[in-house]
Amino acid sequence: MKKIWISLLVAISLIVTGCAADNANNTNNNANAGVEQNEEVSKVTIKLVKDNGEEVISEEAFEFEAGETLLNVMEENFELTTEESSFGVMITAINGIEAGIDDYYWIYTANSEEVLVGAHEYELKDGDVIEFNYSKYEG
């Protein structure tokens, strides 16, 4: 009889332990799902244009995380060539379109306004519209 009680107690404790572990996993999964659902997705639209918008090369929206810079998102989504300068990191080619050919260069604006920092310093904000303009330098 003693063996039956011990076996019964062991079985009950295994069942209770298993149920507790399942509840803990479900609680954690539900908590994580809530966090994911509550997080807002930030988006930026990046346009590549030529000659002040006369030709649209591409236009696409991308998701990004808080604190990301324009250069981070560009590196994740475009084929870039960059070089270090006294101003910081300069983008010298986007998707194979190189700056410096026939005096054409990449200049970017954010929300139709001139930006005075490099892409490596520009911290994106939700809803930003970035336009990289491949145009001739008239100096």
Side-chain angles (χ1 to χ4, degrees):
M1 183 76 161
K2 189 175 183 181
K3 287 183 182 180
I4 293 173
W5 278 108
I6 292 173
S7 296
L8 185 60
L9 287 174
V10 169
I12 290 172
S13 51
L14 288 175
I15 291 170
V16 170
T17 305
C19 290
D22 262 358
N23 284 340
N25 286 338
N26 288 338
T27 301
N28 287 339
N29 288 340
N30 290 339
N32 290 339
V35 169
E36 290 172 10
Q37 290 173 356
N38 290 335
E39 288 180 10
E40 289 186 32
V41 175
S42 296
K43 290 188 179 182
V44 59
T45 299
I46 299 178
K47 297 179 183 181
L48 303 180
V49 301
K50 185 175 180 183
D51 293 325
N52 299 313
E54 287 182 26
E55 178 185 339
V56 176
I57 300 167
S58 72
E59 180 176 346
E60 194 170 345
F62 301 98
E63 294 181 359
F64 67 93
E65 295 179 13
E68 279 197 90
T69 66
L70 176 56
L71 185 61
N72 296 135
V73 172
M74 291 295 292
E75 288 174 332
E76 291 170 8
N77 297 288
F78 295 90
E79 182 184 317
L80 295 184
T81 303
T82 60
E83 79 180 39
E84 289 286 330
S85 75
S86 58
F87 301 106
V89 178
M90 291 185 62
I91 296 173
T92 57
I94 302 174
N95 290 347
I97 303 172
E98 294 184 41
I101 297 174
D102 296 328
D103 292 326
Y104 272 79
Y105 294 90
W106 287 106
I107 306 287
Y108 83 95
T109 58
N111 307 312
S112 300
E113 294 183 21
E114 186 177 333
V115 180
L116 301 177
V117 297
H120 66 289
E121 292 182 85
Y122 185 83
E123 191 171 309
L124 293 169
K125 294 172 284 312
D126 187 36
D128 273 349
V129 176
I130 306 296
E131 184 173 283
F132 277 89
N133 180 26
Y134 187 68
S135 60
K136 197 167 198 153
Y137 175 72
E138 306 285 336

